[in-house]
């Protein structure tokens, strides 16, 4: 029997409205897909021995276990992939693989290989459940599911939502569903869709209503409210543009030894209440390192000549460069460069740095990093506090333990004493793990970040409020410019020796940089 026959043997008969098959787009699993999935599964360490194979099989219902025999790794993997194709169980296989060994490169590679099939199965589960609320059109449901998935995969299932998920399952009154415990809200929603809808409202509707109530800021909140048959949650107003700084984004690249090209954009609201957008664009070529402050200050002056700058509170310069260049050229010196008026750049405006390595959303790994950034900011906004992992207090930790500590999603920042090039690996791991704020000290008298950022400490972690982190660029400016005195609570000592890499969720580079003669001056 061919792979195509295996895939469709259980699904004969005409399609009817609400039939799950109308949401399956990809068709049969081809022999080539079977082989590539089996190859990826074989790379996972525990699949290579009989005991590990048996452990994995025990995650599946009896009908799957009866179809797959333990033995040589490739034969086992091919049988399991074929069984999952017949029974539409790629979702389950992928979730259990990640549950057992989610931190390994091999498990992640398998999940990426199976991603398209997993999404099809998620649609097959959720589509029929939601058609009552959205109508029977599959394309409409797919678009709505994509919007919900985009938001919910970023939010861990914990606290009130975890308790709600468990209560819904416990009150369902029947067994059902064999996915592992959810890690994200999306996992939880898909898992509840497996339960038979024997009561009204069904489990998915109850969970959608709960999520809409707990997270009224989500972009998909209206959809969740509709699916949950609840009144739309009262949406909290977005941060008004006038509460954001007027931003000058400066992309720095090396042109030759100690000479740099600067590409700058202003990001301003066209009118009060409008979303900020990229406006003016400039190129400054072959700029000496000690002249960067002067050139950036000149562009800052030109930005302030734009009447749209009045729609914002304060100003911010964002210096964008590859991570290795930031470390190599001691980029923290740029904030101490003299502007045309003779003042230090960091005393004139907020200054933050961004790693260009994590800005290209066309790369899948970059999209994942940006999702992690957003997830940590979202968690900070909900909990109103987070952690800063301070390397000043971790001299005895090896690199593996530091990397493990940075994987904690409640860690919003990393504090690095000394130069970035001395701690490059730790900074790189932090950025790739989605830690959005890196604080480093360039002075000889570097102190633990907890000495000035927050009085609450737990071992190596500094507990900070969301205000501590969100206002950090502004607070540094206040101290650098002398607007607060050493006796004030917000004063940051030796503030010019502190630099901040700050990856918030605001857009950094335009999709297509304006290159016309009208926009380049």
């Amino acid at each position: 029997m061919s792979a195509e026959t295996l895939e469709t043997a259980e699904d004969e008969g005409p399609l009817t409205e609400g039939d799950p098959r109308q949401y399956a787009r990809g068709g049969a699993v081809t022999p080539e897909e079977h082989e590539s999935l089996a190859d990826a599964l074989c790379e996972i360490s525990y699949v290579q021995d009989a005991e590990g194979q048996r452990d994995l099989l025990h995650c599946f219902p009896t009908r799957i276990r009866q179809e797959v025999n333990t033995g040589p790794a490739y034969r086992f993997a091919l049988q399991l992939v074929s069984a999952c194709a017949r029974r539409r169980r790629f979702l389950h296989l992928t979730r259990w693989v990640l549950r057992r060994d989610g931190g390994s490169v091999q498990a992640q590679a398998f999940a990426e290989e199976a991603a398209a099939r997993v999404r099809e199965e998620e649609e097959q589960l959720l589509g029929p459940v939601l058609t009552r609320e959205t109508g029977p059109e599959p394309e409409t449901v797919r678009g709505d599911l994509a919007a919900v998935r985009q938001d919910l995969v970023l939010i861990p299932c914990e606290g009130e939502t975890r308790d709600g998920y468990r209560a819904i399952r416990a009150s369902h009154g029947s067994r059902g569903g064999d996915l592992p415990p959810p890690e994200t809200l999306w996992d939880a929603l898909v898992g509840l869709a497996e339960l038979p809808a024997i009561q009204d409202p069904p489990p998915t509707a109850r969970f959608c209503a709960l999520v809409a109530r707990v997270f009224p800021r989500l972009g998909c909140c209206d959809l969740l409210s509709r699916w949950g048959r609840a009144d739309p949650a009262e949406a909290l107003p977005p941060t008004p543009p006038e509460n954001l700084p007027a931003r000058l984004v400066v992309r720095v690249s090396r042109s030759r030894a100690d000479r740099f090209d600067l590409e700058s954009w202003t990001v301003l609201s066209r009118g009060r209440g409008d979303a900020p957008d990229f406006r003016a664009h400039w190129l400054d070529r072959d700029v000496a390192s000690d002249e960067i402050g002067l050139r950036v200050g000149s562009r800052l002056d030109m930005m302030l000549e734009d009447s749209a700058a009045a729609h914002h509170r304060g100003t911010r310069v964002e210096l964008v460069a590859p991570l290795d260049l930031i470390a190599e050229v001691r980029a923290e010196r740029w904030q101490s460069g003299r502007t045309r008026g003779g003042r230090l750049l960091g005393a004139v405006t907020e200054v933050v740095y961004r790693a260009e390595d994590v800005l290209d959303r066309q790369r899948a790994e970059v999209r994942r990093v940006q999702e992690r950034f957003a997830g940590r900011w979202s968690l900070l906004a909900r909990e109103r506090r987070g952690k800063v992992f301070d390397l000043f207090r971790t001299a005895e930790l090896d690199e593996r333990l530091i990397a493990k500590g940075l994987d904690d999603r409640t860690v919003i920042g990393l504090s690095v004493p000394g130069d970035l090039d001395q701690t490059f690996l730790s900074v790189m791991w932090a950025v790739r793990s989605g830690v959005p704020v890196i604080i480093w000290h360039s002075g000889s008298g570097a102190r633990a970040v907890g000495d000035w950022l927050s009085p609450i400490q737990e071992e190596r972690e500094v507990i900070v409020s969301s205000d501590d982190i969100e206002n950090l660029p502004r607070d540094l400016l206040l101290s650098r410019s002398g607007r607060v005195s050493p006796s004030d609570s917000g004063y940051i000592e030796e503030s010019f020796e502190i630099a901040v890499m700050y990856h918030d969720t605001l857009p950094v580079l335009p999709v297509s940089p304006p290159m016309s003669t009208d926009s380049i001056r």
Side-chain angles (χ1 to χ4, degrees):
M1 184 179 289
S2 69
E4 290 82 353
T5 306
L6 287 173
E7 175 69 8
T8 58
E10 298 180 341
D11 299 307
E12 296 177 357
L15 289 175
T16 58
E17 184 175 310
D19 191 312
R21 285 173 288 154
Q22 67 178 317
Y23 299 98
R25 291 174 291 176
V29 178
T30 66
E32 291 79 9
E33 283 183 281
H34 270 97
E35 291 180 9
S36 61
L37 287 164
D39 286 339
L41 191 59
C42 282
E43 293 297 319
I44 300 172
S45 59
Y46 60 79
V47 175
Q48 298 168 12
D49 63 78
E51 183 177 357
Q53 294 172 9
R54 282 192 293 269
D55 288 345
L56 182 58
L57 281 179
H58 279 303
C59 300
F60 290 88
T62 303
R63 61 180 179 272
I64 294 283
R65 297 201 298 268
Q66 291 174 341
E67 297 176 12
V68 181
N69 299 313
T70 59
Y74 184 76
R75 187 183 69 185
F76 167 82
L78 193 58
Q79 287 182 354
L80 184 54
V81 166
S82 298
C84 289
R86 287 192 296 273
R87 304 287 185 178
R88 293 190 176 91
R89 289 279 171 166
F90 286 122
L91 168 62
H92 297 70
L93 176 58
T94 301
R95 292 282 169 84
W96 280 111
V97 163
L98 292 175
R99 174 76 173 178
R100 290 173 54 85
D101 194 20
S104 75
V105 173
Q106 294 80 7
Q108 294 291 338
F110 176 79
E112 291 181 9
E113 190 72 33
R117 294 294 171 177
V118 168
R119 290 205 171 192
E120 290 173 13
E121 293 181 12
E122 290 172 340
E123 290 175 1
Q124 292 164 21
L125 273 174
L126 283 165
V129 174
L130 303 174
T131 49
R132 186 187 321 183
E133 308 301 327
T134 60
E137 296 82 2
E139 289 304 324
T140 300
V141 174
R142 286 181 195 131
D144 290 345
L145 283 176
V148 173
R149 181 192 293 113
Q150 183 177 359
D151 283 348
L152 298 194
V153 295
L154 301 179
I155 306 176
C157 186
E158 58 189 19
E160 185 175 356
T161 52
R162 180 188 57 205
D163 294 342
Y165 167 83
R166 291 173 175 173
I168 292 169
R169 284 195 64 99
S171 66
H172 188 256
S174 70
R175 295 176 60 91
D178 46 19
L179 287 169
E183 294 189 3
T184 69
L185 296 187
W186 176 252
D187 294 345
L189 181 61
V190 172
L192 291 173
E194 276 206 314
L195 302 180
I198 60 175
Q199 55 188 212
D200 194 65
T204 48
R206 294 173 62 189
F207 190 71
C208 285
L210 169 65
V211 175
R213 177 176 60 79
V214 176
F215 300 105
R217 286 183 182 271
L218 287 177
C220 66
C221 189
D222 287 345
L223 278 172
L224 293 173
S225 296
R226 180 151 46 98
W227 293 348
R229 309 177 196 174
D231 294 333
E234 182 181 354
L236 297 178
T239 304
E242 56 265 27
N243 287 343
L244 296 172
R247 299 163 58 217
L248 178 69
V249 177
V250 183
R251 189 181 203 167
V252 183
S253 58
R254 192 196 298 275
S255 59
R256 52 194 175 95
D258 205 34
R259 308 289 290 193
F260 302 90
D261 292 336
L262 311 181
E263 187 173 16
S264 307
W265 296 266
T266 63
V267 186
L268 301 169
S269 298
R270 295 182 180 274
R272 191 167 298 279
D274 292 342
D277 197 7
F278 291 88
R279 290 171 65 89
H281 174 237
W282 302 282
L283 286 173
D284 292 281
R285 299 192 181 278
D286 214 31
V287 179
S289 179
D290 57 2
E291 294 181 358
I292 288 179
L294 180 65
R295 296 297 182 93
V296 172
S298 296
R299 298 309 181 196
L300 184 64
D301 290 341
M302 296 176 73
M303 180 181 77
L304 293 176
E305 292 174 1
D306 191 323
S307 60
H311 302 150
H312 300 264
R313 67 100 186 138
T315 60
R316 177 180 298 172
V317 167
E318 301 185 5
L319 297 162
V320 181
L323 188 56
D324 56 354
L325 183 64
I326 291 176
E328 178 190 347
V329 303
R330 298 286 303 276
E332 68 271 13
R333 297 171 178 169
W334 296 340
Q335 65 194 20
S336 301
R338 295 282 179 181
T339 65
R340 181 167 295 175
R343 300 180 65 195
L344 303 183
L345 180 64
V348 175
T349 182
E350 298 176 12
V351 178
V352 299
Y353 301 79
R354 288 183 182 262
E356 187 173 348
D357 318 58
V358 291
L359 298 181
D360 183 5
R361 289 191 60 85
Q362 294 184 359
R363 295 163 51 199
E365 63 270 25
V366 168
R367 289 196 300 273
R368 286 194 292 271
V369 170
Q370 292 194 354
E371 288 170 356
R372 295 180 193 126
F373 286 152
R376 297 200 190 211
W377 283 117
S378 177
L379 188 58
L380 179 71
R382 292 200 313 275
E383 301 296 332
R384 304 307 298 169
R385 60 184 241 156
K387 301 174 185 174
V388 174
F389 197 79
D390 197 345
L391 291 190
F392 187 89
R393 300 180 181 274
T394 58
E396 72 279 15
L397 288 186
D398 62 25
E399 294 172 348
R400 180 181 59 84
L401 291 177
I402 292 174
K404 184 178 180 180
L406 295 174
D407 283 339
D408 181 351
R409 285 181 291 192
T410 65
V411 173
I412 195 71
L414 171 70
S415 173
V416 180
D419 302 333
L420 276 182
D421 59 352
Q422 297 174 3
T423 53
F424 184 82
L425 282 179
S426 295
V427 172
M428 180 186 68
W429 286 332
V431 171
R432 291 181 178 177
S433 297
V435 178
V437 179
I438 311 294
I439 304 165
W440 75 96
H441 310 253
S442 57
S444 57
R447 296 176 295 136
V449 69
D451 293 345
W452 55 269
L453 186 60
S454 171
I456 307 172
Q457 291 188 287
E458 297 177 1
E459 297 180 351
R460 298 177 181 87
E461 293 165 345
V462 179
I463 309 301
V464 297
S465 72
S466 56
D467 289 342
D468 285 335
I469 291 296
E470 292 169 359
N471 296 330
L472 183 55
R474 187 196 64 183
D475 291 344
L476 283 168
L477 170 61
L478 293 176
S479 294
R480 292 166 179 167
S481 61
R483 298 182 204 174
V484 293
S485 67
S487 60
D488 294 330
S489 59
Y491 181 75
I492 299 175
E493 187 177 351
E494 299 176 338
S495 52
F496 268 103
E497 295 184 351
I498 298 168
V500 177
M501 195 177 299
Y502 203 78
H503 294 103
D504 55 23
T505 56
L506 297 174
V508 181
L509 300 175
V511 176
S512 299
M515 297 295 290
S516 69
T517 55
D518 292 334
S519 60
I520 300 178
R521 300 197 282 266

